[in-house]
């Protein structure tokens, strides 16, 4: 069925007047001279009408526009401003402008076939009363130079505009020539009330728009690990890459003023499914034909590679999708953050159940248990008013680019209002029931006859974390998604969600009078450890438990890779796990999953407990030299193989936003006991604080990561040198 | 950019436990013998445990199941029942069943990896208390034969199930072998209250589920034309084709109990865009590599052709998409109808404006007018409760499979609640703002400086029609979409929609005191006619109008193909149009579009009027013989070319649901003045009333159509003969 055939190509003739502009690329040239009708033929006579000598976009980082519009950090030579806020352009004419007789306009155009009524052709006049779309006024005139203030509407299209100066003569309109140096980018503006992405909280706004240094949480809810990430939204080429993504997704130009439509389209485009988007997902452990998801240290390399040809980049898992999506949103000016949901359920039916089947002895029946709970799952939140919904559902919105099983039949998800999820109002678009299930599913144990014997309602969505604004600490935002477990509001919300078609488990099996817990442990890769089983008998009577413990190496998706342990006994306390039990079987992020199930002999009740252990990785060292002394600096990455086996095909990466573009190096072999040391030089582009992030990754040992803070005092501050450095590295 | 490259294939390993079942095709075989654990090795001893000799699905059209479930018309040899309603199966054992010691169950499975918790594996026991999903009871026992009643849940998955009888022995479970003759289809059930597609109105239900004979409206709102259409939802192979479409679209099996998800997926799959769906759109007039959209007489040929390999079928325009979608929905048991919206706006921005630009003389400026209004547009309504929305939004839902410019960035649309559209509650999914704009846009005239000079708020969505239930008459359902023009409710609704982000024109230019109207006309292809201009002066003073009339040949999408007329004069009355003005330029459905715009000299006000004329086609004759006398009948299609030119490559088609499978014939040339006559024989499959529909189509003369009513007294009533006939015709 999946054969590729040539599809008949059909023209748009007869169907629409012209093609729909869905690319930011410029289409037809605007004519340099547009004659008025009914004139004698021949070129117009040259007289003393106003002539444009020069246009100054005032686009240097230290000039007024980029300073006032918070766009000075972009490594981009063009003018970048934000909508809903005035910017300035200076025009030098052949003589002073005379308002009483000289008529001119600045014309802004975006996309092919610009049209006034679609907001893709905007003339701005120096007299305020003539402006219908954007504001315009004369700020200053001195001699031949006129400085104009232009105020783009707060809901205008976001992207790259062309700019022309048009002078009206009695014979027609004379325009300046097309000039790429006069192009400008208009972005979203979270600093301005009228923009639907306005974010009042200044600390959050700075964090979620301007911070390039990310921390992404993973591991287990009671043993949280951190990944540093370089979002790099201001790096050279990233803004153009973000526009390219929208072009590749053929998002109509006229939709590009709406953050809801942009976020939704991007949630589809950041993954390669359906639409040849940015990142190819791979959870298999075999990353031969690309970069292992655990190896990336930032978004820059990924986005530049995609923009250079449009081929999907290999490979990603959820945090890579979320991180690249975050770069996209912050780069365009939509406030965004990456969040991590610990124990994330994956539903494919608006169904709040995840099943574990036990056999008649109370042991997990692996052949019949097909559901899995992800140890953690990362997605994004972006901040915007939801003008398409009733009041109250604006604010943070969940968007998720990881291609999951189903989300309205397509690989995309959101924006879904976090407020709506918390209140069970899952009837509002987009994909709210799906996200609701991710944080609210029940964990259900069934016996051999499929009768539910135990329900765990608090396991899923245990903790939702994001980086705290302005610090390197964690912000627990679980309460933005859910009311407290067991509260009256929680019950109301579940009932509400049920009204909108979310199905819940409707049985409540009796609670056993024997409780079981496996306490948390911090374990290093390669170490042995003792797993404790804490039984608590609240019956006041004698209880005998026949229990089974299974241990698995699991992917972070909860999917088991190999069984490492199976023990069966009556009422015990400690299980010894030796390094040789798991070392040969580890996959990916080195997660171990233990599940104990048992039956109380006297009552027939079922007791269960689960524990995920994320093994801690060996250290990676990063050192920077030359911070205060020289223009060129050096970074050294060091690692010692303390294992008893060799590491093969080891990829080491290092990068830092504003200071060092992504570099990587491959070591074919690191023998046991040996140390590698890799030194690279770099020229910081920007002064001030930043971070260098490094990773080491190979098949046997994934995601060894570290970072170091930097503070550069001297920097090039010039894009072109940095650009050359970047191009050299990326070939 | 659009080069095809091999995408890296990535396994699901590590990401999920098993693949998601998204095909109705059966996966793993269910084992014939499933031993219990911990048994001594070796085959189980054969004893006198219950043995299944025969299973009777009671699936003949005249038997109880198909009669009670309204599925007797399906030309399908399998059992077809509807959910939420009991059906019967008889089992013959080796000896009488003894409830006290014999344990057995009927097992129903659907898709690969059937699972109890997903509703894809359903055991049904003869004792009611053991059944947790579906009901089951013994209806009758006589000797060795036991008749069981099975009641599928009213929200169960719709599709093709496998059925097994499993007998429990002390050694394990013994199952009947896989047997295709024991497969059964379970469909939606609009007759049953618990089903979310329940439709109370009996006449509407019969029309929208069981009627195969369709009428689809087109032309102009004040000169409506009709197309007969054979939906053919009961024809041989159609039900399997509908399941194939869901498989091709990879709709997860677990989603196939939800009519909202099925309708949404189908709206994407009926068109070939994005997903290699059923029909390729083509509005260009060049149909060399396929069948002209105007030539089809029914859905059967299209669906069978698609199901035979999965290649998109060429070509469709809106009514073909709507008709095939209608077949799909009715076939699965979702009540559905095709509706026609006259003057349908196409928006790509939740923007209620369609612009016509005038130059400084008041004449239409074609080079700058890029919007178009479709003369008419067809979509579907399907009937269902909307369990995903708050109460009140169930009932008729708009779905649209025609690939339009944008609908949430993908080529699909709906379901959108008609009630929500009428009340401006466009915040509920799916795509309500898009449909709202189709019936509510304003028509805006702007002058050279882009200032609005006239608004027509009543032009768009002028009339919404569907076939009346149980008759061949029309049902005007405009009031289900809109409150009356100018009413207080209408204003409230527009304001409401604006709250949810639908943008309206906010200026109200002054109304001119001179009105202009071009009265409607009925004109035959090839005839000359007089176009009247009715000016009405309500000012009480002298008014001079300088007016321009443009005439165009247009596609039904409102897109102009050729200018046929341009007149300019002061205050006139009648414009003469001669056949030679347009005959050489006609495209497609022979629509002429006249637009008159003018300026009142004294006041500067703008007056405008528009008229679409759909030219009427010559007659096609169809006659049937042998109705009452013989088993085999004859149909004759006759046509006379009254034009002065030859018709080339003329396709003639004829078919009738239940009586005659689609036949077609090609005439290379029909010279002026000559008559063609084509006779075909056929064997009716079903008794009772039906219709034969015929079309004649060639490049110079599109969509000449007719139909004749039939009432057959003798019929084969046997699928296989009919099947052979069908296969022969379709090769």
């Amino acid at each position: 069925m999946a054969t590729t055939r040539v599809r008949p190509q059909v023209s748009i003739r007869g169907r629409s007047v012209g093609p729909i502009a869905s690319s930011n690329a410029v289409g037809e040239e605007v004519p340099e001279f547009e004659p008025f009708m009914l004139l004698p033929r021949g070129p117009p006579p040259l007289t003393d009408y106003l002539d444009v000598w020069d246009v100054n976009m005032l686009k240097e980082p230290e000039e007024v526009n980029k300073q006032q519009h918070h766009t000075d950090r972009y490594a981009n030579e063009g003018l970048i401003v934000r909508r809903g806020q005035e910017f300035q352009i200076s025009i030098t004419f052949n003589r002073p402008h005379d308002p009483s007789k000289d008529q001119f306009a600045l014309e802004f155009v975006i996309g092919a076939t610009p049209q006034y009524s679609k907001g893709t052709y905007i003339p701005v006049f120096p007299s305020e009363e003539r402006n219908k779309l954007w504001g315009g006024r004369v700020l200053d005139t001195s001699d031949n130079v006129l400085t104009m203030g232009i105020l783009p509407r707060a809901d205008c299209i976001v992207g790259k505009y062309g700019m022309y100066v048009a002078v009206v003569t009695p014979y027609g309109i004379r325009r300046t020539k097309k000039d790429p140096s006069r192009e400008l980018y208009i972005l979203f503006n979270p600093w301005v009330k009228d923009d639907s992405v306005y974010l009042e909280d200044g600390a959050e706004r700075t964090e979620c728009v301007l911070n390039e240094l990310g921390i992404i949480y993973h591991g287990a809810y009671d043993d949280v690990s951190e990944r540093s990430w370089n979002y790099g939204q201001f790096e050279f080429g990233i803004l153009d890459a973000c526009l390219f993504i929208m072009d590749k997704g053929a998002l109509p130009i006229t939709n590009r003023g709406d953050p809801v439509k942009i976020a939704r389209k991007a949630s589809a485009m950041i993954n390669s499914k359906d639409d040849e988007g940015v990142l190819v997902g791979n959870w298999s452990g075999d990353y031969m034909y690309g970069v292992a998801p655990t190896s990336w240290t930032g978004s820059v390399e990924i986005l530049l590679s995609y923009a250079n040809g449009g081929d999907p980049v290999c490979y990603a898992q959820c945090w890579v999708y979320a991180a690249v999506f975050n770069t996209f949103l912050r780069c365009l000016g939509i406030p965004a953050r990456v969040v991590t949901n610990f124990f994330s359920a994956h539903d494919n039916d608006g169904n709040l159940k995840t099943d574990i089947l036990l056999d008649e002895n109370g042991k997990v029946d692996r052949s019949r248990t097909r559901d899995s709970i992800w140890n953690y799952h990362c997605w994004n939140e972006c901040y915007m008013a939801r003008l398409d919904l009733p009041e109250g559902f604006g604010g943070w919105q969940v968007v998720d680019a990881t291609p999951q099983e189903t989300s309205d039949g397509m690989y995309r998800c959101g924006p879904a209002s976090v407020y709506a999820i918390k209140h069970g109002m899952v009837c509002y678009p987009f994909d709210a029931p799906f996200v609701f299930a991710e944080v609210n599913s029940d964990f259900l144990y069934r016996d051999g006859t499929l009768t539910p014997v135990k329900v765990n309602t608090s396991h899923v969505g245990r903790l939702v974390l994001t980086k705290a604004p302005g610090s390197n600490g964690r912000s627990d935002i679980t309460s933005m998604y859910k009311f407290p477990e067991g509260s009256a509001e929680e019950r109301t919300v579940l009932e509400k969600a049920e009204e909108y078609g979310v199905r819940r488990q409707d049985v409540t099996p009796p609670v056993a009078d024997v409780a079981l817990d496996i306490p948390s442990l911090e374990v290093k890769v390669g170490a042995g450890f003792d797993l404790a089983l804490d039984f608590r008998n609240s019956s006041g009577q004698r209880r005998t438990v026949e229990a089974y413990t299974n241990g698995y190496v699991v992917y972070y998706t909860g999917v088991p890779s190999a069984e490492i342990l199976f023990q069966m006994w009556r009422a015990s306390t400690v299980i010894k796990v030796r390094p040789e039990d798991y070392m040969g079987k580890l996959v990916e992020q080195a997660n171990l999953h233990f599940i104990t199930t048992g039956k109380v002999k006297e009552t027939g009740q079922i007791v269960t407990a689960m524990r995920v252990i994320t093994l801690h990785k060996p250290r990676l060292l990063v050192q920077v030299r030359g911070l205060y002394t020289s223009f060129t600096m050096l970074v050294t990455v060091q690692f010692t193989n303390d294992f008893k086996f060799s590491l093969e095909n080891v990829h080491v990466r290092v990068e830092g936003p504003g200071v060092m573009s992504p570099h990587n190096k491959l070591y074919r072999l690191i023998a046991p006991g040996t140390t590698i040391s890799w030194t690279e030089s770099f020229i910081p582009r920007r002064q001030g604080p930043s971070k260098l992030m490094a990773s080491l990754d190979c098949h046997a040992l994934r995601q060894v990561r570290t970072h170091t803070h930097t503070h550069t005092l001297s920097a090039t501050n010039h894009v072109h040198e940095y650009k050359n450095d970047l191009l050299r590295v990326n070939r």
Side-chain angles (χ1 to χ4, degrees), chain A residues 657-702:
Chain A
V659 288
M660 184 184 181
S661 57
H663 286 61
N664 63 70
K665 192 175 172 73
L666 171 67
Y667 290 88
R668 286 283 169 214
L669 190 100
I670 306 180
T674 59
T675 298
I676 57 139
S677 179
W678 169 39
T679 302
E680 277 282 330
S681 69
F682 62 97
I683 302 165
R685 181 173 63 82
R686 243 177 17 219
Q687 293 181 15
S690 187
K691 236 180 185 178
L692 280 178
M693 302 156 195
S695 79
L696 179 143
D697 201 271
C698 62
H699 189 78
L701 185 66
R702 296 279 179 210

Side-chain angles (χ1 to χ4, degrees), chain A residues 280-403:
Chain A
V280 178
N282 188 343
W283 283 258
S284 73
D286 177 5
Y287 309 121
M288 182 114 85
Y289 300 106
V291 176
T294 39
S295 180
W296 300 112
T297 44
S299 310
V300 176
E301 209 179 334
I302 295 167
L303 285 167
L304 292 183
S305 163
Y306 182 69
N308 178 25
D311 287 327
V313 178
C314 299
Y315 292 103
Q317 291 178 7
C318 71
W319 68 92
V320 187
Y321 286 116
V324 171
F325 200 172
N326 215 51
T327 301
F328 174 90
L329 293 165
R330 289 189 181 179
C331 184
L332 292 180
I334 301 173
R337 58 194 191 187
V338 173
V339 309
T340 301
N341 176 35
F342 288 93
F343 291 129
S344 197
H346 272 220
D347 130 283
N348 50 31
D349 197 19
N351 197 322
L352 292 187
K353 285 182 292 192
T354 300
D355 284 351
I356 291 193
L357 293 172
L358 308 178
D359 64 19
E360 53 269 49
N361 302 308
K363 177 177 173 300
V364 176
D365 185 348
R366 268 292 154 201
S367 70
R368 294 170 78 197
T369 299
R370 289 182 177 271
D371 288 340
S372 78
I373 301 272
W374 292 31
N375 292 341
Y376 64 89
H377 179 48
C378 298
W379 60 64
N380 300 79
E381 287 180 358
C382 54
Y383 197 90
M384 58 188 69
R386 285 298 297 267
L387 301 176
D388 55 331
L389 301 185
E391 255 192 77
F393 297 102
W396 291 109
Q397 312 287 323
V398 171
V399 282
D400 188 350
T402 301

Side-chain angles (χ1 to χ4, degrees), chain A residues 151 199 260 265 664 680 693:
Chain A
L151 177 64
L199 176 54
V260 174
K265 171 54 86 176
N664 63 70
E680 277 282 330
M693 302 156 195

